[in-house]
Amino acid sequence: MQHTDSPDKRVAVPGTKGSVKAPANASAPPETVHPTVDNDRPSATKLRLVGTVLALLRMGPLLILVILVVLLANLSPVFFTTLNLGNVLVQSAAIAILAIGQLLVILTRGIDLSVGSTLALSSVVGALVFAETGSAFPTIVAMLAAGAMIGALNGFGYVYGRLPHPFIVTLATLSIARGLALGLSGGQPISGMPDLVRTIGAGSATWIAPWIPNAAFLVAGVAILAILLLNRVVWGRWIYAVGGSPEGARRLGIPRSKVLVSVYILSGTLAGVAAIVTSGRLNAGSPTFGQLSELDAIAAVVIGGASFLGGRGKVSHALIGALMIGVIRNGMNLLNIEAFLQLIVIGVVIFIAVETDVIRGQLESRFRVLKAAAE
Amino acid sequence: MSGARVLTVTGATKRFGAVLALDHVSLHVDAGEVLAVLGDNGAGKSTLIKCISGVHKLDSGTIEVDGVHAQIHNPAVARHAGIETVYQDLALFDNLDSTANFFAGREEAVPSWLPLGMRWMRRTDMAKHSAEIVGRLKINLPQKVASVGMMSGGQRQAIAVARSAAFASRVVILDEPTAALGLRESRQVLDLILRLREEGVAVIVISHAMDHVMEIADRAIVMRRGRVVGEEEPTPENRNRLVSLIVGGDD
């Protein structure tokens, strides 16, 4: 019955549709078009203005970094020498690697407070394994595995412990990892690292430019892998999706829990990579490595221009932020600025960066409203 | 294809504790047909579509897609069966562009022997196909604005509807598609729904806007207290009858 019914209806319906549609079309535009015509000029200029400010805000961190470099190059004769730039790169390398891991976590609206402690644990585990085996391969594997293990603890604890936010679980592992590092090492630094690790952490690229530290190449390698993951691999797209709308991701069948666990494991593993740089540079594993460097990593991501609210951010943001922290520290050391002032300056920069992110969010919704009015 | 029965729900019953949210609800939609589901708040409309789209599980009753019994126990199964739902909150990713939103959870990627998450995305293919979808459905999207979060309410709604219709879906369920929109934006979304119908999609629309129901729906069913209390053709002559069914004036 219904099969024969519905074609009839479909013949009948367009008639009613046309008759309803026509008056709607005839009456609607005059009422809606007039106000937009009146405001056309101001809203178009406003739109362009808001658009320009937005573009500037998005470029902001890179601009500030360039300004900082130019400023310091003029203030200090030492700053823009290859030797010192190499220093900046070495000092920024571990933070940059931690920041890339932190970026992955922050993209999913999370936070990983444990990376500094994980770095320390990983360095101690590496030193112990090297003392036992005397060979590079098991040492490096153990360092990465220690990092991945703490990361897994974070991820599974957060997701399957059904915690409302990763803050507490990573705070717990911050304490646990530091405690393990102190216990395993007896509270003392353990010296001795494999040649390969020392080459990565302390060596430089004698074959191209001796002032470029090898650690910078490691950072570049990690950055390229992270860029490929985030931009080319489906999993990376899902990391953004989970950060953009956790509920939307669930409804569209994106494996939200697995994505969340994975970013903490990656962050932990990258803390292991950062440990390779730090222990290679100092030829030791120590339970005191990486103190407060989780805060540097978080600050780097935010200063660099990624959104602390998740979903927005690139690897370049983490790198720019890490460089910015490195440059500020290095520059202020060169200018003999006291340590307390450095802390205050870094703090102010973090505040400005977060405020910029908030303003950017507001301008974007403003932009949307203006855009809708202009169309 | 035209007029073929696509979705049949029979005796759908759902209980939340002491509340009988759905009481033996039956409905059907054909290809190229727009069915409106009307009812006051708490009538059971949302529960009904959540059961059809796999968010809730029916206590009893059956759902058939293309005449085949479907066990829809989660959203992924519903999507796989060709049932797409656009919720009021749209479930869009504001941080991603329209292409990424279209393909979220079903990205075009290689090689096929890897699990989807591990594959390499074919970004140009996806961009091309999303441009085709946008062109086919005649959606008006800004060219330069990258993320969906920067788009207007109507454009966002259009993207959500287009995403649901983009992948040869059989049934598209729309929850209050025009509730948050202005006059002109509503117009665009209504046109889009009519285009889905022309393409032979079975559409279920939940709406409070009687004018919009009159315009786009081929049939309307009215729900009250978890039951279907009437079915009418949404013609201007039947308007008062529909309204009294919704508010229960003839009890």
Side-chain angles (χ1 to χ4, degrees):
Chain A
M1 270 305 277
Q2 262 116 0
H3 281 247
T4 51
D5 258 6
S6 35
D8 288 353
K9 268 177 205 159
R10 217 165 298 117
V11 173
V13 169
T16 50
K17 213 169 292 142
S19 61
V20 178
K21 208 184 208 168
N25 271 351
S27 64
E31 282 168 16
T32 47
V33 164
H34 275 306
T36 36
V37 167
D38 288 343
N39 294 332
D40 203 14
R41 290 284 155 177
S43 94
T45 22
K46 243 188 232 165
L47 185 67
R48 220 169 304 133
L49 183 71
V50 172
T52 315
V53 175
L54 264 177
L56 268 177
L57 283 185
R58 291 199 188 111
M59 284 286 294
L62 186 59
L63 275 177
I64 294 172
L65 180 62
V66 171
I67 292 170
L68 269 176
V69 168
V70 172
L71 202 69
L72 286 169
N74 283 304
L75 287 175
S76 160
V78 187
F79 179 78
F80 213 70
T81 58
T82 51
L83 183 71
N84 187 57
L85 291 182
N87 269 337
V88 172
L89 289 180
V90 166
Q91 285 159 5
S92 312
I95 297 173
I97 293 167
L98 292 180
I100 290 171
Q102 196 70 241
L103 171 79
L104 299 176
V105 172
I106 286 178
L107 278 177
T108 65
R109 302 188 178 187
I111 192 166
D112 187 350
L113 294 173
S114 69
V115 289
S117 301
T118 306
L119 189 161
L121 174 63
S122 178
S123 78
V124 167
V125 167
L128 289 173
V129 170
F130 181 63
E132 197 68 33
T133 65
S135 106
F137 181 71
T139 306
I140 289 176
V141 169
M143 292 176 86
L144 298 180
M149 198 195 72
I150 297 293
L153 216 56
N154 285 332
F156 286 110
Y158 169 42
V159 173
Y160 295 102
R162 276 171 283 170
L163 300 177
H165 196 274
F167 188 95
I168 297 298
V169 68
T170 60
L171 186 62
T173 48
L174 173 150
S175 188
I176 291 169
R178 186 71 68 186
L180 281 174
L182 281 164
L184 287 173
S185 64
Q188 296 299 318
I190 304 164
S191 64
M193 275 285 155
D195 285 344
L196 178 58
V197 173
R198 295 178 63 186
T199 310
I200 294 170
S204 64
T206 41
W207 35 284
I208 320 177
W211 61 275
I212 301 178
N214 283 336
F217 292 99
L218 183 64
V219 172
V222 169
I224 288 169
L225 286 178
I227 289 169
L228 291 179
L229 168 69
L230 285 177
N231 296 318
R232 300 291 173 142
V233 179
V234 173
W235 199 262
R237 176 64 57 79
W238 290 352
I239 290 175
Y240 281 106
V242 167
S245 169
E247 180 57 23
R250 189 180 71 87
R251 288 211 207 115
L252 294 179
I254 291 170
R256 184 176 58 167
S257 301
K258 287 180 189 161
V259 169
L260 286 173
V261 170
S262 76
V263 294
Y264 290 93
I265 292 179
L266 286 171
S267 176
T269 309
L270 286 175
V273 176
I276 292 174
V277 172
T278 304
S279 7
R281 183 157 60 95
L282 301 170
N283 190 24
S286 166
T288 58
F289 281 173
Q291 263 166 345
L292 298 183
S293 61
E294 61 277 350
L295 299 186
D296 282 346
I298 295 166
V301 171
V302 176
I303 291 174
S307 173
F308 195 59
L309 308 170
R312 289 163 214 263
K314 299 177 191 167
V315 173
S316 62
H317 293 143
L319 294 180
I320 289 170
L323 271 178
M324 215 157 17
I325 291 178
V327 165
I328 291 173
R329 289 230 171 98
N330 175 273
M332 289 197 290
N333 278 335
L334 292 178
L335 298 175
N336 285 321
I337 293 172
E338 288 178 76
F340 78 90
L341 256 180
Q342 297 191 17
L343 287 173
I344 293 172
V345 168
I346 300 261
V348 169
V349 172
I350 293 174
F351 181 80
I352 293 174
V354 176
E355 191 56 41
T356 307
D357 185 41
V358 171
I359 293 172
R360 185 195 51 74
Q362 284 172 349
L363 279 181
E364 276 183 0
S365 52
R366 185 84 198 277
F367 185 82
R368 198 159 62 202
V369 171
L370 287 172
K371 185 98 183 152
E375 267 161 21
Chain B
M1 159 177 102
S2 81
R5 183 64 40 87
V6 175
L7 179 78
T8 313
V9 177
T10 316
T13 302
K14 177 74 185 176
R15 199 178 264 288
F16 295 109
V19 180
L20 190 57
L22 291 181
D23 184 6
H24 292 89
V25 171
S26 297
L27 63 84
H28 60 86
V29 210
D30 298 342
E33 184 187 37
V34 177
L35 171 71
V37 179
L38 304 173
D40 212 345
N41 292 332
K45 298 168 301 189
S46 291
T47 308
L48 176 67
I49 64 160
K50 280 179 179 161
C51 287
I52 298 174
S53 58
V55 175
H56 295 321
K57 206 165 162 265
L58 284 176
D59 293 337
S60 66
T62 59
I63 298 172
E64 285 174 22
V65 180
D66 290 331
V68 180
H69 182 69
Q71 275 289 356
I72 294 171
H73 45 76
N74 69 45
V77 173
R79 263 187 127 190
H80 195 71
I83 301 172
E84 293 277 342
T85 309
V86 181
Y87 294 93
Q88 260 177 286
D89 65 5
L90 303 182
L92 288 177
F93 305 104
D94 281 348
N95 54 334
L96 299 176
D97 64 12
S98 52
T99 302
N101 269 281
F102 282 144
F103 287 94
R106 51 187 163 197
E107 285 79 3
E108 291 181 8
V110 286
S112 55
W113 48 267
L114 277 175
L116 178 57
M118 302 299 125
R119 291 184 207 160
W120 196 253
M121 288 191 286
R122 319 247 351 206
R123 299 195 304 177
T124 42
D125 284 3
M126 286 195 278
K128 204 177 80 192
H129 291 150
S130 89
E132 282 168 14
I133 296 161
V134 168
R136 197 182 78 209
L137 295 172
K138 301 190 181 70
I139 307 169
N140 190 12
L141 293 184
Q143 293 300 308
K144 283 189 178 171
V145 175
S147 66
V148 167
M150 300 275 282
M151 294 184 190
S152 70
Q155 288 164 343
R156 290 159 54 79
Q157 185 80 43
I159 287 173
V161 174
R163 174 171 70 185
S164 69
F167 298 90
S169 35
R170 313 288 295 127
V171 186
V172 171
I173 304 172
L174 303 163
D175 189 4
E176 297 278 3
T178 55
L181 302 182
L183 215 54
R184 211 167 6 157
E185 294 184 326
S186 295
R187 178 74 262 140
Q188 288 165 1
V189 170
L190 294 178
D191 288 345
L192 182 53
I193 293 171
L194 294 176
R195 240 166 271 133
L196 295 189
R197 184 175 71 167
E198 281 163 25
E199 294 198 346
V201 177
V203 183
I204 299 177
V205 179
I206 291 185
S207 184
H208 281 116
M210 284 303 273
D211 288 339
H212 296 162
V213 170
M214 298 287 157
E215 182 187 339
I216 60 169
D218 300 305
R219 278 188 302 131
I221 61 171
V222 180
M223 291 184 69
R224 199 161 70 232
R225 292 192 216 111
R227 286 178 300 131
V228 175
V229 293
E231 173 172 344
E232 293 288 340
E233 256 186 83
T235 55
E237 307 85 69
N238 281 338
R239 187 187 173 118
N240 288 339
R241 165 101 185 111
L242 279 170
V243 171
S244 69
L245 277 171
I246 292 169
V247 298
D250 59 328
D251 263 358

